[in-house]
């Protein structure tokens, strides 16, 4: 049996952009992606602390050290620039593996979205 567990989390970043006229996805500063062990195209859950929205999309890397967190396409309707977001990815694994697994938890600077 396999279960789904939290693989990584980027905690309390500010939304820096909302681009409705885009194919879709979330753009994340590449440094944040690497710190959280998230790869391009990976499914990510977005939790909006300001309005309670929860949605899923895939991620694409943004410029390093930019602090960029931009929701693209239809997801742009679910956020406002400045909203506080939590980004979560999950992985399937065997129960015994999951018991010892430690997710990558990233707590960037809340004002800049940059790694501390």
């Amino acid at each position: 049996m396999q279960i789904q567990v939290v693989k990584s989390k980027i905690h309390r970043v500010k939304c820096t952009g909302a681009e409705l006229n885009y194919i879709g996805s979330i753009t994340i500063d590449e440094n944040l992606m690497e710190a959280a062990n998230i790869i391009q195209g990976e499914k990510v859950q977005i939790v909006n602390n300001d309005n309670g929205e929860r949605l899923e999309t895939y991620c694409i890397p943004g410029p390093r050290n930019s602090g960029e967190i931009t929701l693209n396409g239809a997801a742009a309707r679910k956020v406002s620039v400045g909203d506080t977001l939590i980004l979560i990815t999950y992985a399937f694994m065997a129960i015994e593996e999951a018991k010892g697994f430690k997710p990558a938890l990233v707590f960037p600077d809340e004002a800049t979205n940059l790694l501390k």
Side-chain angles (χ1 to χ4, degrees):
M1 176 188 307
Q2 292 204 327
I3 61 171
Q4 192 174 25
V5 298
V6 173
K7 177 184 149 273
S8 54
K9 179 168 113 171
I10 302 174
H11 192 70
R12 296 186 61 84
V13 288
K14 297 289 185 198
C15 177
T16 61
E19 299 292 334
L20 184 60
N21 295 314
Y22 191 88
I23 296 170
S25 68
I26 181 171
T27 304
I28 303 172
D29 178 324
E30 195 166 8
N31 280 351
L32 293 175
M33 286 179 62
E34 286 179 1
N37 196 26
I38 297 172
I39 64 167
Q40 183 172 343
E42 186 169 355
K43 182 167 97 172
V44 61
Q45 180 182 46
I46 299 137
V47 179
N48 187 329
N49 282 3
D50 290 299
N51 66 16
E53 289 283 352
R54 287 178 173 258
L55 62 118
E56 294 178 340
T57 189
Y58 64 93
C59 57
I60 59 174
R64 287 186 182 281
N65 296 313
S66 65
E68 182 176 359
I69 304 290
T70 300
L71 276 290
N72 302 304
R77 294 200 182 274
K78 303 290 186 177
V79 298
S80 294
V81 172
D83 283 357
T84 300
L85 309 176
I86 298 172
L87 312 177
I88 308 165
T89 64
Y90 300 89
F92 286 100
M93 58 186 70
I95 291 174
E96 288 307 312
E97 181 184 7
K99 287 178 182 178
F101 179 76
K102 301 291 184 229
L105 305 176
V106 179
F107 298 88
D109 182 281
E110 289 188 41
T112 65
N113 291 344
L114 300 177
L115 296 174
K116 296 179 185 178

